[in-house]
Amino acid sequence: MKIAYLGLGIMGSGMVGNLLQAGHSVTVWNRTPDRCTPLVEKGATQANTPAQAVANAEIVMYCLSNEEAIADTVFGEDGILSGVHQGQIAIDMSTVHPNTSRREAVAYAEKGVEFIDAPVFGSKNESATGGLWIVVGGKKEVFEKVKPILEPLSETIHYMGETGMGATMKLVGNAVVISQIEALGEAMILAKKAGLNPQDVLDVLHVTDFKSPIFDGMGSTLVKRDFSTSFALKWLLKDANLIAQLAQDNNSPIPAIALARETVKAAVNHGWGEENASAAIKALELQAGIEIK
């Protein structure tokens, strides 16, 4: 299959590697061209513009950082929409507001191109190993066509309904993630201030009926003071803002998530936005006057 893949951050680079390993012909593009080099060395072809990247593709895939990147890469000059043609299928794997997905679907339909929104759960390791969890919105028959393309990238794939429902599910899932990060930070700080050993606490959290992979992974990095980036804190804030917008759109209460969003915002404002999402807990540590270690 001829695939164009645009956006080679932590997530996109891993996905392209798995597409190449699955035997697909992949043309890549990234705003920072140097990021294409390792994938070209593995057999990908590099394009100079989004329009050039998608010109000869059967499937157009992209994972972009935010709504502004979608505006530039999809709708902008020499963007994807200026290069696509009838018969292609576009797959947006970015985390965006569902209204953005719906806007994309309308624009692609005018070009005779089918569209699905297919954001992913997981981060650096899952992207590299084909272990992502993908949630999809769009026409069911289009989903069935592209499912074999998504399978080498994923542990599971979930069809959620019409256009925008994949994007909606991603924000709902990230609401849980943000809440868990806040809960982990508050609980670990309380434990430390009350005299418990943080590693002993993590050992208990690992085996209880409320255990969580997020508690395991982030808890360990907190104790080690390792905030190397798998998913940047600044993107967690972006997602928290999108969740707040979605909640407002639906008149849905999110008091706990709103509180967690303020923690994330404070951490970004302290200059930790490029660090891992677990750096949000540093803002709570500042309030407490301790570090979890």
Side-chain angles (χ1 to χ4, degrees):
M1 187 75 72
K2 293 181 180 179
I3 298 173
Y5 201 105
L6 301 90
L8 303 176
I10 288 173
M11 304 301 291
S13 294
M15 284 188 263
V16 171
N18 285 307
L19 290 170
L20 289 168
Q21 191 171 12
H24 297 292
S25 174
V26 186
T27 299
V28 294
W29 175 87
N30 193 71
R31 283 184 290 182
T32 306
D34 290 349
R35 288 192 177 178
C36 297
T37 302
L39 296 166
V40 170
E41 291 173 351
K42 294 180 180 180
T45 300
Q46 183 173 353
N48 295 321
T49 67
Q52 184 186 77
V54 305
N56 297 315
E58 298 168 89
I59 306 292
V60 175
M61 305 175 72
Y62 48 97
C63 186
L64 303 170
S65 56
N66 54 27
E67 309 275 339
E68 291 76 14
I70 295 286
D72 290 342
T73 304
V74 177
F75 294 94
E77 184 177 357
D78 289 327
I80 292 172
L81 282 167
S82 66
V84 292
H85 55 80
Q86 187 169 358
Q88 294 174 309
I89 300 174
I91 306 173
D92 184 359
M93 309 189 80
S94 318
T95 301
V96 297
H97 191 281
N99 285 345
T100 299
S101 299
R102 296 177 186 118
R103 180 184 172 215
E104 290 179 85
V106 170
Y108 281 117
E110 292 174 354
K111 297 278 189 173
V113 175
E114 298 286 2
F115 171 82
I116 63 170
D117 47 292
V120 303
F121 293 110
S123 57
K124 183 177 181 179
N125 290 338
E126 290 81 12
S127 176
T129 60
L132 297 167
W133 302 274
I134 303 178
V135 288
V136 179
K139 297 177 184 176
K140 185 67 177 290
E141 61 270 24
V142 177
F143 163 66
E144 294 296 343
K145 286 181 182 178
V146 302
K147 188 176 179 182
I149 304 296
L150 301 175
E151 285 173 343
L153 312 179
S154 60
E155 180 175 319
T156 62
I157 306 170
H158 307 266
Y159 177 70
M160 305 306 299
E162 63 186 19
T163 299
M165 290 298 101
T168 300
M169 182 64 234
K170 180 61 194 295
L171 296 183
V172 168
N174 278 10
V176 176
V177 171
I178 291 168
S179 299
Q180 286 188 313
I181 294 172
E182 178 77 19
L184 176 66
E186 291 183 15
M188 292 295 288
I189 288 168
L190 174 61
K192 179 70 180 286
K193 297 205 82 169
L196 290 171
N197 178 284
Q199 187 57 58
D200 291 344
V201 175
L202 291 177
D203 290 344
V204 174
L205 296 183
H206 179 67
V207 299
T208 56
D209 60 355
F210 50 89
K211 62 186 176 182
S212 160
I214 288 177
F215 293 170
D216 288 345
M218 287 195 175
S220 176
T221 61
L222 282 171
V223 171
K224 296 175 182 176
R225 311 311 293 171
D226 177 9
F227 298 98
S228 54
T229 306
S230 293
F231 177 63
L233 180 65
K234 64 182 180 181
W235 302 135
L236 185 66
L237 178 57
K238 182 264 294 186
D239 291 354
N241 290 336
L242 289 173
I243 293 163
Q245 182 182 349
L246 182 66
Q248 181 67 32
D249 294 342
N250 290 277
N251 197 30
S252 184
I254 52 166
I257 296 163
L259 174 62
R261 178 190 178 201
E262 292 304 311
T263 299
V264 174
K265 190 187 301 180
V268 170
N269 287 338
H270 276 291
W272 301 317
E274 299 293 339
E275 297 185 17
N276 197 48
S278 53
I281 295 171
K282 289 185 181 182
L284 298 174
E285 291 178 326
L286 276 180
Q287 293 180 52
I290 63 161
E291 290 185 349
I292 302 166
K293 60 181 179 179

